[in-house]
Amino acid sequence: MAEFGEDGSLPPLNHEDTAAVPGDEAAGKTHCEVLNGDCGILENMIGSGSLVAPCSQGVVETVELDSKCEIPRRSSIIKDGSRQRKERKKTVSFSSMPTEKKISSASDCISAMVDGSELKKVRPNSRIYHRYFLLDADMQSLRWEPSKKESEKAKIDVKSIKEVWTGKNTDTFRTNGTYDQISEDCAFSIIFGENYESLDLVANTADVANIWVTGLRYLISYGKHTLNMIESSQNHMRSSWLGELFEEADGNNRKQITICAAVQLVKKLNPGLKNVKIELKFKELHKAKDKVGSHVTKEEFIEVFHDLCTRPEIYFLFVQFSSNKEFLDTKDLMIFLEAEQGMAQVSEDTSLEVIQKYEPSKEGQLKGWLSLDGFTNYLMSPECHIFDPEQKTVCQDMNQPLSHYYINSSHNTYLIEDQFRGPSDVTGYIRALKMGCRSVELDVWDGPDNEPVIYTGHTMTSQIVFRSVIDVINKYAFVASEFPLILCLENHCSLKQQRVMFQHLKKILGDKITLDPPKPEDCYLPSPSELKGKILLKGKKLSTNCTASEGEVTDEDEGAEMSQRMSIESTEEQTIPPKKFQLSKDLSDLVTLCKSVEFKDFPTSFQSQKHWELCSFNEVFASRCASDFPGDFVNYNKKFLARVYPSPMRIDSSNMNPQDFWKCGCQIVAMNYQTPGLMMDLNIGWFRQNGNCGYVLRPAIMREQVSYFSANTKDSVPGVSPQLLHIKIISGQNFPKPKGSGAKGDIVDPYVYVEIHGIPADCAEQRTKTVNQNGDNPLFDESFEFQINLPELAMVRFVVLDDDYIGDEFIGQYTIPFECLQPGFRHIPLQSLTGEVLPHTWLFVHVAITNRRGGGKPHKRGLSVRKGKRSREYASMRVLLIKAVDDVFKTAMLPLREATDYRENVQNAIASFKELCGLSAVANLKQCILALSPRLMGPDNSPLLVFNLTDHYPTLEPQGLLPEVLKKVITTYDMVIQTSKSLLENSEVVYERILQTQKAAMEFHENLHDLAVKEGLKGRKLHKAVESFTWNITILKGQADLLKHARSEVQENLKQIHYAALTCNLSKERVVSGSTESKSRRSLEAIPEKAMAEEELTDEDN
């Protein structure tokens, strides 16, 4: 094991040394430490020339899960005040150490396997053995040592290997007591023999696992001819393409170019590389060849490009889908696009379009082949960004009332620094409006020369002329969005200057200002669509019976509140008496749909507040409302607009967490745009959706008149199905050094945080290991899983930090709404602290979303467990103690149970089928059929099982005698079809029964209060009855929606089975017509996350 120095650093690895295995020499045994996400910290033994056999006594090792890690700890915090300083374990990735050879071809994998690796061999009942595995030089056998067996028995013949599964997807893994501590990305299983036995292994790093999986799959495909095949199919497309580029640069045909020209050429092809790194690579190559001079040959140029620009993680993915060729044909690419990237209606023409667009070589374009470089280009293109392109335009219903949307809002928009001493500038408005802000603030005071000015009163902030701000607003109001802009007018002017304000507003903004009075018969505000291109003024308004040219109103003065708060020495809460001031009727008449009123309490508002009246909440008071009256706050915001502004104590213009108020339904959460950090990242990220138009439709459960939702819920939301988000952080590219770092040099030790922001039940975070001294192309290969209870309000934030920081650790971040995530392999463009895109700086990830949790032991797996009818949790109805209403709700009990059974039965059947295919919970049924297809082929490459696609429900039909393993396939697949058929044929009736109950119950809604009083309910019991009614209605709506969604999912599943059978040439029609291809497709697997349950595979001890 690599020893740590006193400062926690690692000495360079020396692969010439004897590879020793860590052990407790005194005890004569080795402790196998298995850490989740760490893949162990044993030295990577690939490439070592000699061997000291580990665990030479052959003793069964006990996994010590409570043993203390000797890795040093280091404190680290995000520099925005939002994260408390806490100890974090610093772990080390050997996969990206500078001294290691980069694996970038199949021959590299085979060579590494011949050299051998230490792998952990997993057995049932928590037993794990350290063994040294290697491939015989003749590539006929896979051996391991030491072993109690004779040397000829401690091996597997390569020709007996059927498949290689990635992840923890066998029964041995799932029943092992250390399942949760074994890294998903380091685990793989070799399936061999006629009975499909499994050899279950865990590598020390995900890189090593990828090497073995890739090499073994090549061996399965090509056997002893593997090396010949690899040699004959070396990447000619890359060589010819690079050769042409080199010859263009070598205009004089001297067969060489200068190092400077070569560096620029590589830089042009990969702009993220640093010039000094490219130049150093050329010089190292010359030094190795004892070459003198400053010129580069074509072969040297190609070699350096290969070393610097081949990304191993993309290569491993590439060969997984290329049927172990050096290119993807149109069929391979079609499967990748459809099965993995979730692209709909894909054809081979679609594949050709991608190839023509991204393949750099002429040969590839002519033949319809996508090379590794073309595949890399595609994965780094905007098509593979993580953000859903549909959300880049307005895609939500914009015809709902204004109160049903979150509105992008700014506080003290005129400030460009802090709110006590900072300067004011019109650029604050320009920046906010260009970013899609739809609510800006104008704090207006009397100015010199009868010209009103804008600044924060009672402070030392500078002043800007009101007229110039209105000019800027007129110019930029609808540049980023056509939807209404709200001007929050905080008026402190004399009547004389109020008349000047009115003249400027009328003259400059003209008919953009909404002057139509609200309609008394309406219950809600107009929609954003109805108010396109309009400006709404929010401010004080005189009563309708005022006939004079002015009148008295209550002053709104946030600045005075801040000034008084700062002067209060004691911590006791003091009330600030409201001030009165004279308001011009002309200015009052400009305020129509957003009249400012004071909030008293929720009962008063529910009884007397008009829908065009708007209350502003101080952050502290709003937090108290959210804590004490979470349900009332949500219900209040269904009808009325609520504006929340930062606490006056935030004199540094720091930001509150907008999620704290979005979860209550508050529409206008005013942010200090001039202050970057986590909170502003959340605001910018949130409003990126819906075309960045500044309006985001709130979740349905927060809009519907009768629905139950508590802002502080720490559990699942009634009527909403939780989603499981599976994220694999694969690698990074070109991480810069933190801007504020005081350390010398450009070396960074990056690690990644994945944060979930949303309702309290969803908030979570996970971090990767630290990759030591590699910011250029660090490999993380770590998977995380998060349960999202309210997907419509959740956000995902990726943060990259430096573990070796001095002064500043922040490298980059990207924040995205959950609903905007694209599944599949995606690149994330990282942004700086101030929101600018960092050039050529990326995270490479895999995203999958499912509705079931994977992983864990069968008897202890939370959501993943296949619950029988007795142990299932069914949706429950609450008792109101109002007999007539309770009797109606009782009629829903049976259909609710049936709906749950239909859904669970389908999910359980699909879970079993995925396990049988060796895939994890994130896989879809198309991937299952593709993975299963090699198993369905006989020795003569004719199918043993075919799909009969003539019926709506595809059936599996045997083509002769079947081995036991295929009989189990038929049984499991039949259960998928039977449960799917049962759901499709019965769900409509159940759905209608649930809706009938809901409709019948809603007839009591108007008179519910009177009915409760008649039953003798009052006070708390009355309130509880009303709450239970909304709960029950929410449950009925939610369960009906879930059943409707399950129906759509089943129909999509049947389509996937149909298309996959055609793709794999396993349809009965094609087989009968003699069009079956002679060569079956390779197994195609998604990068796995967590497996779901058990699969019966036999195993031999040791």
Side-chain angles (χ1 to χ4, degrees):
M1 178 177 175
E3 295 294 325
F4 287 89
E6 292 181 358
D7 62 351
S9 62
L10 279 165
L13 298 182
N14 184 355
H15 290 298
E16 299 303 318
D17 294 342
T18 299
V21 177
D24 184 345
E25 294 178 8
K29 67 177 183 179
T30 302
H31 297 299
C32 172
E33 187 168 280
V34 186
L35 303 174
N36 187 27
D38 188 14
C39 310
I41 52 171
L42 301 179
E43 179 175 335
N44 175 5
M45 299 175 68
I46 288 182
S48 57
S50 55
L51 165 72
V52 173
C55 202
S56 55
Q57 302 301 315
V59 178
V60 174
E61 296 153 359
T62 304
V63 180
E64 299 190 354
L65 300 177
D66 296 326
S67 61
K68 290 184 179 178
C69 181
E70 297 178 0
I71 299 174
R73 294 179 179 269
R74 161 175 291 159
S75 295
S76 180
I77 94 175
I78 291 184
K79 303 296 180 184
D80 59 15
S82 64
R83 189 190 300 280
Q84 296 296 318
R85 179 177 291 272
K86 57 185 178 183
E87 294 291 325
R88 294 178 181 159
K89 182 170 66 179
K90 179 175 177 179
T91 54
V92 180
S93 164
F94 289 88
S95 61
S96 299
M97 293 294 284
T99 52
E100 268 194 50
K101 183 182 186 323
K102 183 157 62 171
I103 301 291
S104 57
S105 70
S107 56
D108 290 341
C109 295
I110 299 296
S111 176
M113 291 165 66
V114 171
D115 286 338
S117 306
E118 181 187 278
L119 303 172
K120 300 180 188 79
K121 185 178 177 185
V122 179
R123 305 285 293 118
N125 304 322
S126 305
R127 291 178 295 172
I128 294 180
Y129 302 83
H130 281 239
R131 295 291 180 262
Y132 198 78
F133 284 77
L134 67 164
L135 179 67
D136 280 352
D138 61 4
M139 297 185 297
Q140 297 297 299
S141 302
L142 176 65
R143 298 180 181 272
W144 60 92
E145 50 190 34
S147 174
K148 295 176 183 177
K149 298 179 179 178
E150 299 174 13
S151 60
E152 287 305 306
K153 290 186 178 179
K155 69 173 187 176
I156 294 176
D157 289 336
V158 169
K159 62 185 179 184
S160 72
I161 299 176
K162 305 290 186 183
E163 299 173 21
V164 183
W165 295 357
T166 53
K168 303 177 291 186
N169 293 315
T170 65
D171 190 51
T172 299
F173 272 123
R174 281 187 290 269
T175 57
N176 191 286
T178 61
Y179 180 94
D180 292 329
Q181 286 75 44
I182 295 173
S183 169
E184 177 77 17
D185 308 294
C186 299
F188 63 101
S189 300
I190 298 171
I191 310 300
F192 65 97
E194 293 305 316
N195 294 324
Y196 280 67
E197 301 170 64
S198 71
L199 175 62
D200 302 291
L201 304 169
V202 180
N204 292 327
T205 69
D207 271 359
V208 177
N210 281 330
I211 287 167
W212 279 89
V213 169
T214 301
L216 286 168
R217 286 177 175 170
Y218 264 86
L219 289 169
I220 294 170
S221 292
Y222 304 106
K224 62 183 180 182
H225 304 296
T226 298
L227 286 182
N228 294 334
M229 190 285 306
I230 293 171
E231 193 173 337
S232 66
S233 66
Q234 284 300 323
N235 204 333
H236 297 300
M237 287 193 287
R238 170 183 277 184
S239 299
S240 62
W241 162 58
L242 292 176
E244 289 174 10
L245 291 177
F246 184 89
E247 287 161 10
E248 286 176 19
D250 179 22
N252 298 323
N253 200 25
R254 294 178 178 176
K255 307 297 183 188
Q256 59 181 13
I257 58 176
T258 63
I259 284 186
C260 183
V263 168
Q264 292 306 314
L265 189 52
V266 174
K267 176 84 172 176
K268 182 181 177 182
L269 299 172
N270 191 340
L273 287 173
K274 298 183 181 75
N275 285 10
V276 65
K277 182 175 181 179
I278 305 170
E279 186 176 349
L280 182 62
K281 198 71 179 176
F282 280 117
K283 289 180 176 178
E284 285 176 352
L285 183 62
H286 284 176
K287 185 177 179 181
K289 294 181 177 180
D290 294 327
K291 179 179 175 180
V292 180
S294 58
H295 285 78
V296 173
T297 66
K298 180 168 72 174
E299 290 72 22
E300 290 167 345
F301 168 70
I302 292 173
E303 185 175 346
V304 167
F305 179 90
H306 180 81
D307 287 348
L308 291 179
C309 301
T310 302
R311 290 173 55 182
E313 72 278 21
I314 291 183
Y315 171 75
F316 288 131
L317 176 64
F318 177 77
V319 297
Q320 180 182 322
F321 283 90
S322 69
S323 306
N324 301 315
K325 304 185 299 291
E326 293 301 315
F327 60 85
L328 293 170
D329 58 30
T330 53
K331 196 172 182 182
D332 296 326
L333 183 57
M334 185 176 76
I335 290 170
F336 175 76
L337 295 175
E338 193 170 45
E340 197 49 66
Q341 300 298 85
M343 195 181 288
Q345 298 177 330
V346 181
S347 65
E348 293 196 42
D349 288 339
T350 312
S351 297
L352 278 173
E353 288 175 17
V354 171
I355 291 168
Q356 295 301 320
K357 192 172 181 179
Y358 298 108
E359 174 53 44
S361 73
K362 291 178 181 176
E363 180 186 358
Q365 291 181 4
L366 287 171
K367 294 181 176 178
W369 293 348
L370 191 68
S371 67
L372 176 60
D373 298 300
F375 188 58
T376 304
N377 289 341
Y378 168 69
L379 286 176
M380 296 194 71
S381 73
E383 291 183 46
C384 288
H385 284 192
I386 195 169
F387 192 88
D388 184 351
E390 287 185 11
Q391 290 279 356
K392 291 182 179 179
T393 57
V394 176
C395 56
Q396 296 177 356
D397 178 9
M398 301 304 289
N399 296 307
Q400 302 266 346
L402 216 57
S403 60
H404 286 185
Y405 297 85
Y406 296 114
I407 303 172
N408 196 353
S409 309
S410 164
H411 175 248
N412 288 356
T413 316
Y414 45 88
L415 292 179
I416 55 175
E417 287 182 21
D418 71 76
Q419 62 186 38
F420 192 68
R421 297 184 180 84
S424 304
D425 199 287
V426 292
T427 57
Y429 290 94
I430 296 172
R431 180 171 181 267
L433 291 171
K434 280 186 171 181
M435 292 173 68
C437 182
R438 295 288 85 197
S439 172
V440 296
E441 186 175 359
L442 297 87
D443 201 346
V444 195
W445 298 81
D446 281 353
D449 304 322
N450 201 32
E451 280 290 345
V453 293
I454 290 178
Y455 73 104
T456 304
H458 317 286
T459 68
M460 292 177 277
T461 58
S462 63
Q463 303 175 357
I464 48 178
V465 178
F466 176 76
R467 184 185 66 245
S468 62
V469 170
I470 300 303
D471 278 329
V472 163
I473 288 173
N474 184 53
K475 183 177 180 181
Y476 292 96
F478 302 105
V479 167
S481 172
E482 62 182 346
F483 294 105
L485 173 66
I486 300 172
L487 304 187
C488 296
L489 211 59
E490 199 172 301
N491 174 19
H492 311 286
C493 291
S494 62
L495 286 171
K496 183 180 179 181
Q497 295 211 9
Q498 284 183 40
R499 295 187 188 100
V500 177
M501 284 173 61
F502 171 76
Q503 290 167 5
H504 289 328
L505 288 167
K506 284 293 288 181
K507 183 179 179 181
I508 297 170
L509 299 181
D511 59 3
K512 290 178 183 175
I513 299 176
T514 298
L515 297 176
D516 296 333
K519 299 174 182 176
E521 66 270 19
D522 289 346
C523 295
Y524 291 92
L525 288 168
S527 70
S529 286
E530 293 175 86
L531 296 169
K532 277 183 184 177
K534 291 294 185 180
I535 292 175
L536 312 181
L537 260 62
K538 170 206 165 284
K540 288 291 182 175
K541 188 172 176 66
L542 297 172
S543 63
T544 52
N545 56 9
C546 177
T547 56
S549 60
E550 70 271 340
E552 192 175 68
V553 293
T554 307
D555 189 15
E556 283 186 302
D557 194 347
E558 293 174 20
E561 186 182 355
M562 179 178 67
S563 180
Q564 291 185 45
R565 293 282 184 191
M566 290 182 64
S567 65
I568 293 173
E569 296 290 332
S570 68
T571 56
E572 294 179 10
E573 188 173 322
Q574 299 188 18
T575 57
I576 302 166
K579 276 173 47 181
K580 302 281 188 177
F581 84 105
Q582 293 293 311
L583 175 64
S584 153
K585 189 172 191 307
D586 286 339
L587 203 56
S588 169
D589 288 345
L590 294 182
V591 177
T592 54
L593 298 179
C594 294
K595 176 186 175 182
S596 291
V597 297
E598 186 180 357
F599 179 83
K600 293 181 180 177
D601 54 52
F602 289 115
T604 303
S605 293
F606 290 138
Q607 188 172 359
S608 59
Q609 187 173 336
K610 303 294 187 291
H611 66 267
W612 62 83
E613 294 177 337
L614 183 156
C615 295
S616 289
F617 296 78
N618 175 296
E619 168 194 353
V620 176
F621 180 65
S623 295
R624 196 179 307 145
C625 290
S627 175
D628 296 345
F629 311 102
D632 286 341
F633 211 173
V634 171
N635 287 330
Y636 172 86
N637 288 318
K638 289 176 182 178
K639 185 174 182 179
F640 308 114
L641 286 176
R643 176 177 172 268
V644 180
Y645 60 91
S647 164
M649 296 306 292
R650 295 184 183 273
I651 58 172
D652 61 348
S653 290
S654 60
N655 274 309
M656 54 193 169
N657 188 340
Q659 283 276 8
D660 290 343
F661 308 104
W662 289 339
K663 72 183 182 184
C664 303
C666 297
Q667 302 88 350
I668 305 173
V669 181
M671 303 293 288
N672 290 310
Y673 268 59
Q674 73 273 28
T675 309
L678 166 62
M679 305 313 172
M680 202 59 207
D681 290 344
L682 294 177
N683 193 75
I684 293 170
W686 181 249
F687 287 104
R688 234 183 231 123
Q689 61 186 309
N690 201 28
N692 197 35
C693 73
Y695 286 82
V696 171
L697 190 62
R698 295 187 304 158
I701 198 170
M702 299 172 75
R703 303 192 313 265
E704 293 165 346
Q705 185 184 6
V706 180
S707 62
Y708 180 87
F709 176 74
S710 171
N712 294 327
T713 181
K714 291 183 171 62
D715 206 344
S716 58
V717 179
V720 178
S721 177
Q723 300 287 296
L724 273 297
L725 173 63
H726 310 260
I727 291 182
K728 179 171 183 175
I729 305 295
I730 302 172
S731 65
Q733 292 290 304
N734 311 311
F735 291 160
K737 188 178 177 180
K739 277 192 173 181
S741 175
K744 294 180 180 179
D746 293 323
I747 301 299
V748 295
D749 294 349
Y751 63 99
V752 182
Y753 257 100
V754 183
E755 303 169 349
I756 307 297
H757 298 267
I759 61 172
D762 291 343
C763 292
E765 63 178 30
Q766 296 269 17
R767 67 157 285 180
T768 68
K769 61 181 177 288
T770 297
V771 176
N772 216 34
Q773 298 183 11
N774 187 351
D776 294 331
N777 53 357
L779 294 175
F780 300 100
D781 276 321
E782 288 192 63
S783 299
F784 305 115
E785 186 180 272
F786 302 94
Q787 177 167 313
I788 311 295
N789 294 284
L790 187 57
E792 290 175 278
L793 203 57
M795 302 183 73
V796 186
R797 184 172 185 252
F798 301 88
V799 194
V800 182
L801 304 170
D802 182 9
D803 211 356
D804 195 27
Y805 71 99
I806 298 177
D808 183 18
E809 63 172 347
F810 181 85
I811 293 174
Q813 70 84 31
Y814 187 81
T815 308
I816 180 172
F818 177 86
E819 299 278 273
C820 297
L821 290 169
Q822 283 209 96
F825 292 93
R826 303 291 168 186
H827 274 90
I828 301 173
L830 293 180
Q831 298 177 339
S832 69
L833 190 64
T834 50
E836 291 86 13
V837 174
L838 295 168
H840 315 300
T841 304
W842 305 90
L843 265 182
F844 184 41
V845 302
H846 181 265
V847 177
I849 298 168
T850 66
N851 59 356
R852 293 175 68 82
R853 185 180 298 281
K857 293 164 69 174
H859 62 276
K860 180 182 160 183
R861 278 191 312 226
L863 285 178
S864 69
V865 66
R866 295 198 200 103
K867 294 179 179 177
K869 288 189 178 181
R870 290 184 181 178
S871 60
R872 279 181 186 161
E873 294 177 6
Y874 294 98
S876 59
M877 295 280 100
R878 291 183 178 177
V879 177
L880 280 70
L881 298 178
I882 304 174
K883 187 177 185 305
V885 184
D886 286 334
D887 287 345
V888 170
F889 282 128
K890 282 178 185 177
T891 63
M893 295 306 296
L894 182 58
L896 285 178
R897 289 180 69 89
E898 289 175 345
T900 302
D901 286 338
Y902 287 133
R903 289 190 291 107
E904 288 285 331
N905 290 344
V906 170
Q907 290 181 357
N908 289 342
I910 291 175
S912 296
F913 189 60
K914 286 179 181 179
E915 291 165 11
L916 194 65
C917 297
L919 295 182
S920 64
V922 305
N924 55 45
L925 281 182
K926 181 159 192 175
Q927 292 167 327
C928 288
I929 304 300
L930 295 169
L932 195 62
S933 59
R935 216 182 299 178
L936 305 184
M937 305 305 289
D940 58 350
N941 283 324
S942 60
L944 300 174
L945 284 172
V946 294
F947 289 87
N948 186 341
L949 304 179
T950 54
D951 188 46
H952 180 61
Y953 302 98
T955 56
L956 260 181
E957 296 183 1
Q959 301 297 291
L961 291 175
L962 296 178
E964 283 301 316
V965 69
L966 289 188
K967 289 179 181 177
K968 188 174 180 182
V969 168
I970 291 181
T971 304
T972 312
Y973 175 80
D974 283 348
M975 186 57 67
V976 172
I977 296 301
Q978 288 171 23
T979 55
S980 298
K981 185 177 182 180
S982 180
L983 186 145
L984 285 182
E985 292 180 351
N986 299 293
S987 58
E988 280 192 18
V989 174
V990 175
Y991 180 78
E992 287 300 324
R993 286 162 62 195
I994 295 173
L995 289 187
Q996 284 171 10
T997 300
Q998 180 188 327
K999 186 177 179 182
M1002 284 300 292
E1003 292 179 3
F1004 293 103
H1005 180 243
E1006 293 292 330
N1007 303 313
L1008 188 64
H1009 187 274
D1010 295 339
L1011 285 171
V1013 172
K1014 282 183 181 178
E1015 293 282 350
L1017 302 180
K1018 56 185 178 180
R1020 186 173 179 82
K1021 286 186 176 180
L1022 175 61
H1023 177 77
K1024 194 71 178 174
V1026 174
E1027 183 181 282
S1028 296
F1029 181 86
T1030 59
W1031 168 279
N1032 290 350
I1033 293 294
T1034 304
I1035 289 291
L1036 291 172
K1037 286 180 181 175
Q1039 292 298 312
D1041 288 343
L1042 287 177
L1043 189 58
K1044 188 176 179 181
H1045 179 68
R1047 184 181 176 85
S1048 299
E1049 273 192 342
V1050 166
Q1051 290 170 335
E1052 175 59 27
N1053 288 339
L1054 295 175
K1055 284 182 187 176
Q1056 287 189 16
I1057 294 170
H1058 188 99
Y1059 291 140
L1062 293 175
T1063 300
C1064 298
N1065 293 294
L1066 288 171
S1067 69
K1068 183 178 180 181
E1069 295 73 16
R1070 289 195 181 184
V1071 171
V1072 170
S1073 63
S1075 61
T1076 305
E1077 290 183 359
S1078 60
K1079 184 175 179 179
S1080 66
R1081 285 204 47 76
R1082 281 279 310 145
S1083 171
L1084 299 173
E1085 299 176 302
I1087 283 196
E1089 303 294 328
K1090 304 283 186 185
M1092 283 187 65
E1094 65 278 8
E1095 175 171 348
E1096 295 177 7
L1097 290 172
T1098 56
D1099 198 359
E1100 292 181 15
D1101 187 28
N1102 202 24

